[in-house]
Structure formats: C-alpha cells, structure tokens
Amino acid sequence: MTSGLRIVHCFRAPVGGLFRHVRDLAAAQAAAGHQVGFICDSTTGGALEGRYFDAVAGSLPLGVTRIPIRRNVGPGDLAAGWHAYRLVKKLRPDVLHGHGAKGGALARVFGSALRVSGYSVARLYSPHGGVLHFDPGTAKGRLLFSLERMMDRMSDHFLFVSEFERRTFAEKIGGPRSPSSVVYNGLTPAEFAPVAPAPGAADFLYIGEMRALKGTDIFVDALARASAATGRPLSAVMVGGGETAACAARVERLGLSRHVRLLPPMPAREAFALARVVVVPSRAEAMPYIVLEALAAGKPMIATAVGGIPEIFPPASPALVRPQVESVSAAMAEALADEAAHAALMPAHDELRARFGVETMAAGVERAYRQALA
C-alpha cells in the first residue's frame, strides 16, 4: 500500500467548475488517506461557496487559507504571496497542485522556493482553460504566454482536463517540456441518478456564470428566435451570478420577461428540475462540469462544439452546435419538436460513468503525483 501524501491545492477564485473540481478531488484524496489543504482568494465567492467550504472543511487537515488574490497581476501579489509562502513552508507539502493561471503560478513559485530550501515537493499545474482564452496577438496575451513558458521550467507535471486543452496549450504557448497527462473531470456516484422535470418545468435551462464568454446573449437571442420559429413563446430559466443586470436588460429588450426567470446560483441538480432541456451556449470552454452533470442526471442537452465538449459526445453528434444564435435556435426548435428523439442523441449512461467518474479522475491525478515525486 502506498503512503499518504500531504497535498496543498492553490487556486484563485472559489467559484465555478474549477472550485467544483478541486473540492471533488480533495474529497477523493482525503478518502484515500491523503492530507489535503487549500489556499485561495478571500474576496470572491458568496453564501453558496461558504456552504461548500463548510461541507469540506472537516476533511482538510492542512486547512483552508484565504488571502486576497486578484485576477490581474499587481503589486498586491507580493504581500499575498509572501504570506502564503510562509504558510506553505510550515505545512511541508509533498505536492503543490496549482489550478488556473494564478493558482498555477503560486504553486510553482512556492514549490521552487521550497526546493531551494532543501524540501522535496512536486509542482503540478492544471490550467483549466484560464490563460488559454487569451489571444496571442494582444499585448496581454503575449505577456501571459511568456510567463507560462518561463514557468514551464518550474513544473514537474501538467494535468489537462481535455485533449483540446492540451492541444491549445501547445499551439499558443508551446510544449510543455514537462510530462503531461489528460485527466477528465469526474462526477460522484450520486450524480448519476436521474433528475426528472418538476411539474410546470420550463422548456430550457441555462446554468452558469452570466457573461459573454459563456454565451448568455446567445441563449437569450436564440430563445427569442426559436419562439418566433415555433409560433409560441418558449420558456426558460437562467440560473447564475455575474453580469445579471445586462442579461435581465436583454431579456426585457426582447420582450421575454414573462417567459424567462433569472435565479441566483443554486446546486446544479436543483436547477435541472426546473426545465426539460439544458442549453450550454458557451463561446469557449475547457471541460465544463455542467455538461457532465446534466448528462449524468439524464437531461437532454444542446451544447456548443467548443473546447473539450465534443470529447464527451459521440462523433458528429447532432446535439452539438456552433456558438451562434442561428445554430442554437434551430437546435432548440428541433429538440422541442421531438423530445424523445433528441434525448436519444445523448451519450450512453454506462460509458459516461466509466470515463467521467470521480474515482477515475482521482486515480489519474494520483498517478501524475507519484510520477512527479519519482
């Protein structure tokens, strides 16, 4: 039997799919006998995230440390970084696992500093999309990609959540020189139980952060267009935080206020009961949890063929569309025309469990840790 590891996960914002990934991974690692801790931002997250922290706190013997970590690079990073480094040094981790651009930078810088001090520590980095969304033709993109190339030398292993993410990293940044693995996000066994629509459920559900990258404008415009095409007002529920005022204004401007409900963030499985078909209209993704969660819950879906999403579905699946209003609206109308036929386009449940279970994810990550430590 292999010995337990001391693992510290570093990430910036405790929100969204990245936070979900770290929580599930930490829970699986704790169950396997490892000691785990978090370092993350103290200025983001709300009541829902607070409940998530409360739920995992008892399984994190290395604790949860929250310090101000800004999205953009700035002078405040020095003070926050020094404070975090002193804490990490006391924790004496075997593994520092950074998630996202900021978390990846902290983990690799701290790990390199610990090595200079004589500690043996593995430095791993999971981009989770993050920096890869930037354009290499812009000044900011060039700066960030230069920093990524520099930190490649400070990395022992890269963990990508999709083949798409690994390809994009190579195309935009190069390499990586260090070993790398693709380990898909994983769901817990309970998430593979079906969620039936509640009485009076809406036609469509959007769940996620309200911002342009996630395609909320595409969703609202496509709903209006599909309503016109079908000759009846289609209903929708939109669940999430972020740029909610802009989203509400768009709904109002298109005359959809009577048919669209905007609700604050809630657990995904609660939201799934609110509608019959889930729509993911993102312009860019790495490997979104919400697609996996919806499919595991037995929800018919329409999703854009971006990032790692096509790796989840059968090749050339009609459930995948372009991130454009016309494509999404046409799929909406077709899904409602024959909901049973559309549901049959979803991936097989047993295959989903085998490829995207949390046990598979945790085992793949631990293999990377052991390889890096060796």
Side-chain angles (χ1 to χ4, degrees):
M1 180 177 176
T2 55
S3 59
L5 300 172
R6 296 173 66 84
I7 304 163
V8 174
H9 293 281
C10 302
F11 52 101
R12 193 187 73 84
V15 296
L18 187 156
F19 186 35
R20 158 70 198 269
H21 173 87
V22 177
R23 295 197 319 271
D24 285 353
L25 182 56
Q29 290 169 342
H34 304 300
Q35 297 184 63
V36 187
F38 291 170
I39 294 176
C40 63
D41 181 45
S42 60
T43 64
T44 48
L48 180 61
E49 288 73 26
R51 293 200 295 274
Y52 289 149
F53 274 122
D54 292 341
V56 300
S59 61
L60 300 175
L62 301 188
V64 175
T65 299
R66 303 191 65 181
I67 57 175
I69 304 174
R70 295 172 178 80
R71 180 185 292 273
N72 297 314
V73 178
D77 290 341
L78 294 175
W82 175 244
H83 176 72
Y85 171 69
R86 292 173 63 190
L87 172 77
V88 167
K89 194 171 183 179
K90 290 180 182 177
L91 293 175
R92 299 176 67 90
D94 300 302
V95 174
L96 277 169
H97 188 167
H99 303 264
K102 267 298 182 72
L106 290 175
R108 290 178 287 177
V109 169
F110 295 164
S112 299
L114 287 173
R115 285 190 170 192
V116 170
S117 302
Y119 293 88
S120 176
V121 58
R123 303 158 299 178
L124 289 94
Y125 173 40
S126 297
H128 294 284
V131 69
L132 301 179
H133 294 315
F134 285 89
D135 183 349
T138 64
K140 187 168 185 178
R142 288 192 295 271
L143 171 63
L144 292 173
F145 294 160
S146 294
L147 291 172
E148 286 286 350
R149 282 188 285 271
M150 179 183 71
M151 285 188 288
D152 190 344
R153 304 174 188 277
M154 305 160 68
S155 311
D156 297 308
H157 202 105
F158 284 75
L159 283 163
F160 297 103
V161 295
S162 65
E163 289 289 355
F164 169 84
E165 187 180 46
R166 179 153 63 178
R167 288 196 307 271
T168 304
F169 192 97
E171 291 166 3
K172 290 189 172 183
I173 296 168
R177 297 184 183 90
S178 309
S180 67
S181 304
V182 172
V183 178
Y184 289 128
N185 292 333
L187 304 180
T188 63
E191 290 175 289
F192 287 91
V195 175
D203 295 313
F204 298 106
L205 170 70
Y206 170 89
I207 176 171
E209 193 174 359
M210 304 280 190
R211 59 180 179 134
L213 187 71
K214 298 298 184 181
T216 48
D217 58 318
I218 294 175
F219 179 85
V220 175
D221 290 359
L223 185 72
R225 189 183 181 102
S227 295
T230 57
R232 70 176 180 89
L234 304 181
S235 58
V237 177
M238 301 185 71
V239 175
E243 299 168 7
T244 53
C247 187
R250 194 176 201 92
V251 168
E252 177 73 27
R253 188 166 64 252
L254 292 174
L256 301 175
S257 298
R258 292 179 56 197
H259 309 290
V260 178
R261 285 196 296 158
L262 273 69
L263 301 176
M266 68 177 70
R269 289 177 66 83
E270 291 181 20
F272 291 154
L274 302 178
R276 300 195 309 282
V277 180
V278 177
V279 181
V280 177
S282 299
R283 290 183 166 91
E285 289 287 358
M287 177 56 73
Y289 263 103
I290 197 62
V291 174
L292 298 176
E293 290 174 287
L295 291 172
K299 303 299 292 187
M301 292 196 71
I302 297 164
T304 48
V306 299
I309 293 177
E311 296 173 42
I312 305 172
F313 287 81
S317 171
L320 297 176
V321 297
R322 295 186 303 277
Q324 299 168 354
V325 172
E326 297 78 9
S327 187
V328 176
S329 65
M332 285 177 159
E334 290 171 11
L336 293 187
D338 191 338
E339 293 188 36
H342 186 77
L345 301 175
M346 302 303 111
H349 214 245
D350 290 346
E351 182 185 347
L352 278 173
R353 284 196 79 146
R355 296 178 65 207
F356 301 104
V358 70
E359 302 89 349
T360 304
M361 176 182 73
V365 171
E366 183 166 342
R367 281 195 299 271
Y369 289 177
R370 298 289 179 183
Q371 180 181 341
L373 286 166

